[in-house]
Amino acid sequence: MAFFRPRVSREAEVRYHADLEISKSFPELLEKARQAERVLRDLRAADADEVELLAAGTAFDKALTEALRAAEAGQRATFGVRAYDDRIARRKAKATPAGRLWTDEVEGLRTLREENRLWGIPRIPRPVPAVR
């Protein structure tokens, strides 16, 4: 008795290889985010003005977003090619040690980014135009 095992789609293979390439840059992007966080913390400790804090907080947010995208790509690539088309394969891959490691990394980066967006970037009021 022969079992039919459907192949993965060509689109899934292309996305898998693209995610592999993107995930290779994860360590550099994570280090960039750490440096941006250090700059933001140093400015807070030095009691810098809000304009500098806004720029540093925005730079930290951009660095975190890039690192998060690379981590998500690494997570998807770790799950394997079949996980792009099959939700059950994706769920099973999440339960593996490597899948859990990437999932924890992604969740931690998302939490850090949301915390920075809520509390790390100061809100500066917009200038009101003078009425004549």
Side-chain angles (χ1 to χ4, degrees):
M1 182 170 186
F3 289 101
F4 174 69
R5 179 178 240 175
R7 287 185 38 96
V8 295
S9 67
R10 181 71 183 144
E11 178 187 347
E13 288 179 7
V14 169
R15 290 175 55 201
Y16 171 73
H17 290 294
D19 282 342
L20 277 177
E21 288 300 315
I22 293 170
S23 68
K24 288 179 184 176
S25 64
F26 175 70
E28 297 89 32
L29 293 172
L30 187 61
E31 184 56 36
K32 220 167 112 177
R34 285 182 180 145
Q35 289 174 356
E37 182 181 22
R38 254 184 253 122
V39 168
L40 180 62
R41 288 180 186 262
D42 289 345
L43 286 174
R44 281 188 192 147
D47 202 25
D49 63 340
E50 289 185 347
V51 175
E52 290 176 353
L53 288 174
L54 176 68
T58 306
F60 181 45
D61 183 62
K62 288 179 183 177
L64 275 175
T65 301
E66 291 173 4
L68 179 61
R69 286 184 181 146
E72 288 171 341
Q75 180 186 33
R76 287 188 303 266
T78 301
F79 290 171
V81 181
R82 287 185 52 214
Y84 286 89
D85 293 335
D86 186 8
R87 69 178 178 83
I88 295 173
R90 188 169 39 253
R91 194 169 147 216
K92 284 183 179 181
K94 255 188 185 180
T96 64
R100 188 72 232 161
L101 181 85
W102 276 107
T103 301
D104 289 343
E105 188 70 37
V106 167
E107 288 174 1
L109 285 172
R110 278 191 188 134
T111 302
L112 191 59
R113 185 178 69 168
E114 285 302 314
E115 181 181 323
N116 181 54
R117 285 182 176 178
L118 288 173
W119 308 110
I121 302 174
R123 307 293 186 247
I124 298 177
R126 294 183 185 150
V128 179
V131 180
R132 294 184 194 184

